[in-house]
Amino acid sequence: MSDAVKLIEVKEEIQADNARVADGLRAQLAEKRTFLVNLMSAPGAGKTRTILRTIEALRDRWRFGVLEADIDSTVDAERVAAVGIAAVQLRTGGFCHLDASMVAKGLAALDLDSLDAVIIENVGNLVCPAEFDTGAVKNVMILSVPEGDDKPLKYPLMFTVSDVLLVNKIDYLPFSDFDLEAMRERVLRLNPRMQIFEISAKTGQGVDQWAAWLDGEARRFLGN
Amino acid sequence: MSDAVKLIEVKEEIQADNARVADGLRAQLAEKRTFLVNLMSAPGAGKTRTILRTIEALRDRWRFGVLEADIDSTVDAERVAAVGIAAVQLRTGGFCHLDASMVAKGLAALDLDSLDAVIIENVGNLVCPAEFDTGAVKNVMILSVPEGDDKPLKYPLMFTVSDVLLVNKIDYLPFSDFDLEAMRERVLRLNPRMQIFEISAKTGQGVDQWAAWLDGEARRFLGN
């Protein structure tokens, strides 16, 4: 058990440092009028496709940039850049989450004066990213139908720290035993203020409702 | 960047300690003749269902136990125990992976003299569990079809440290753009010795081939 105790102490120290950096970053972004959203999920839940759909829905109104984080590869940033959106790929090189310093570094590579909103695609991981404040104004998570309706029981912190839950891949519902009502009840027990939207980033179903919510939050933040 | 450097150093120290504990555990299990298998995947890839199918296929030959690891909840251990298999739930309480000390603690709660093989269901996470040797003889990972065929590009370490890749939920292939050949090529480029089996833990398809491979490895290890 001594190993475990040691790791926890270190983690707490690092998290306290990170919280300070995140608060500073948030203040700086408020001044610069950049609306920062942190998107988290397990691997393969559809983060990149959701980002593309979201930006497509709101592109007439807001100028978006994207920070793509991955252990390795640049495939996601390439997908985003391919449709003409400013994208930076952060290669974490083994790191399992983004912290506020990494996000600050990524933002420095974007021209924030020409952007209204930046979406962070965090590392695909339902555990570690939930523990590190990125400096974002809103935390959004995706749970995809094939992952199962029991995930709130197993990864409670992620469901607790998120403001929005996007239930993605609802086009898989007919082939799945996913229980939407049971999932919803488990989520709201952990986090009664969670906004829940059901979407399919593949077909576009439900994206408008989620985009309208995000639009409202961006208006509130940017004062437009 | 100073935060990041600090975290990496600590991680390396902890990993070196862990490697020693894992080697000791492996030696002890060889003496006790317990075949230990570590199963890893992203959340919701079907680890528990795969374990149940695997044990069902090999139950006549070997006596199995299961270590279930989760951040929270006991649902997985309950599913395993419900079919009469010795199961221990390890609640990691926020930890994103199992290390060898935690596994040793879990094994101490099982009666190893009455078991031939133990399967560890690691925390659902494609990143951190790949970095920590659990003391297992074989590392097995699941990639489920809905997660997408690009995962080897994004989580290379997991695909590098695993001996076996189970491509699960192949019953979703008709509704997916998952490219089996592209995935296979990406995996073998990282790890030319990877054993790959395509299965559906839901329908049982392909489970026999994987179970036959595991049976061969168990025979080799246990000398039966």
Side-chain angles (χ1 to χ4, degrees):
Chain A
M1 275 310 286
S2 63
D3 290 276
V5 173
K6 185 158 56 176
L7 182 58
I8 289 168
E9 278 167 8
V10 170
K11 235 167 133 183
E12 279 171 4
E13 189 190 308
I14 288 174
Q15 281 170 339
D17 286 353
N18 182 65
R20 275 190 295 276
V21 178
D23 286 341
L25 184 59
R26 216 168 355 250
Q28 190 191 319
L29 291 172
E31 204 178 309
K32 265 207 168 303
R33 295 166 50 78
T34 307
F35 182 61
L36 185 64
V37 176
N38 175 33
L39 181 60
M40 301 175 282
S41 80
K47 287 185 293 304
T48 311
R49 226 188 273 221
T50 298
I51 287 172
L52 292 173
R53 284 284 186 185
T54 304
I55 294 179
E56 192 187 351
L58 296 174
R59 222 175 165 172
D60 292 344
R61 187 179 304 281
W62 310 110
R63 299 164 298 167
F64 279 94
V66 174
L67 287 188
E68 290 287 346
D70 273 303
I71 303 294
D72 204 353
S73 101
T74 58
V75 291
D76 287 346
E78 282 160 19
R79 279 169 74 188
V80 173
V83 294
I85 300 157
V88 170
Q89 181 83 45
L90 289 165
R91 269 202 250 200
T92 68
F95 255 64
C96 50
H97 63 273
L98 284 182
D99 64 24
S101 306
M102 299 181 214
V103 170
K105 213 164 174 175
L107 290 172
L110 287 169
D111 174 20
L112 293 185
D113 291 334
S114 71
L115 298 174
D116 302 307
V118 174
I119 303 178
I120 304 166
E121 179 176 337
N122 216 311
V123 179
N125 185 330
L126 276 187
V127 187
C128 317
E131 297 176 6
F132 287 84
D133 189 343
T134 57
V137 175
K138 291 290 170 189
N139 289 306
V140 180
M141 71 168 292
I142 299 177
L143 172 66
S144 66
V145 166
E147 293 170 58
D149 53 39
D150 59 351
K151 293 300 156 291
L153 302 173
K154 296 181 176 177
Y155 305 92
L157 185 63
M158 179 61 79
F159 288 84
T160 306
V161 302
S162 296
D163 303 293
V164 177
L165 167 62
L166 302 176
V167 183
N168 191 24
K169 306 195 188 181
I170 55 168
D171 48 303
Y172 278 125
L173 278 174
F175 321 111
S176 163
D177 50 10
F178 192 99
D179 184 337
L180 270 172
E181 264 324 294
M183 183 278 304
R184 184 181 286 273
E185 195 186 298
R186 287 166 188 157
V187 170
L188 294 175
R189 207 178 304 142
L190 287 167
N191 181 355
R193 298 167 65 172
M194 183 80 100
Q195 299 282 333
I196 304 177
F197 299 96
E198 296 165 17
I199 67 167
S200 167
K202 196 190 207 170
T203 68
Q205 197 187 336
V207 170
D208 283 352
Q209 288 91 317
W210 142 245
W213 181 89
L214 190 67
D215 182 42
E217 293 298 319
R219 282 168 188 265
R220 197 188 321 251
F221 181 84
L222 297 167
N224 288 8
Chain B
M1 276 307 289
S2 64
D3 292 275
V5 173
K6 187 156 58 174
L7 181 56
I8 290 168
E9 279 166 8
V10 170
K11 233 167 134 185
E12 280 171 3
E13 188 190 307
I14 288 174
Q15 282 170 338
D17 285 352
N18 182 64
R20 275 189 294 276
V21 177
D23 285 341
L25 183 58
R26 215 166 358 249
Q28 191 190 320
L29 291 172
E31 203 179 310
K32 265 207 167 305
R33 296 166 50 78
T34 307
F35 182 61
L36 184 65
V37 176
N38 176 33
L39 182 61
M40 301 176 282
S41 80
K47 287 186 292 303
T48 311
R49 226 189 272 223
T50 297
I51 287 172
L52 292 173
R53 283 284 187 185
T54 304
I55 293 178
E56 192 187 353
L58 296 174
R59 221 174 165 172
D60 292 345
R61 186 181 304 280
W62 309 112
R63 298 164 301 169
F64 280 93
V66 174
L67 287 189
E68 291 288 345
D70 273 302
I71 305 292
D72 205 352
S73 100
T74 58
V75 289
D76 287 345
E78 281 161 19
R79 279 169 73 189
V80 172
V83 294
I85 300 159
V88 171
Q89 181 83 43
L90 289 165
R91 271 204 248 200
T92 68
F95 254 63
C96 50
H97 63 273
L98 284 181
D99 64 21
S101 305
M102 299 180 212
V103 170
K105 213 162 175 179
L107 289 173
L110 287 169
D111 174 18
L112 294 185
D113 292 333
S114 71
L115 299 174
D116 302 305
V118 174
I119 303 178
I120 304 166
E121 180 176 337
N122 215 312
V123 179
N125 185 331
L126 276 188
V127 186
C128 317
E131 297 176 6
F132 287 84
D133 188 345
T134 57
V137 176
K138 293 289 169 190
N139 289 306
V140 179
M141 71 168 291
I142 299 177
L143 173 65
S144 66
V145 166
E147 293 169 59
D149 53 39
D150 59 351
K151 292 300 155 294
L153 303 173
K154 296 181 175 176
Y155 306 92
L157 185 64
M158 179 60 80
F159 288 84
T160 305
V161 302
S162 295
D163 303 293
V164 177
L165 167 62
L166 301 177
V167 184
N168 190 25
K169 306 196 190 180
I170 55 169
D171 49 303
Y172 277 127
L173 278 175
F175 322 112
S176 162
D177 50 11
F178 192 98
D179 184 336
L180 269 174
E181 266 323 294
M183 182 279 302
R184 184 181 286 272
E185 196 187 298
R186 287 165 188 158
V187 170
L188 294 176
R189 206 179 305 142
L190 287 167
N191 181 354
R193 297 167 66 169
M194 183 80 101
Q195 299 282 333
I196 304 177
F197 299 96
E198 296 165 17
I199 67 167
S200 167
K202 195 189 208 172
T203 67
Q205 199 187 336
V207 170
D208 284 351
Q209 288 90 319
W210 142 246
W213 181 90
L214 190 67
D215 182 44
E217 293 298 319
R219 280 168 190 263
R220 197 187 322 251
F221 181 85
L222 298 168
N224 289 7

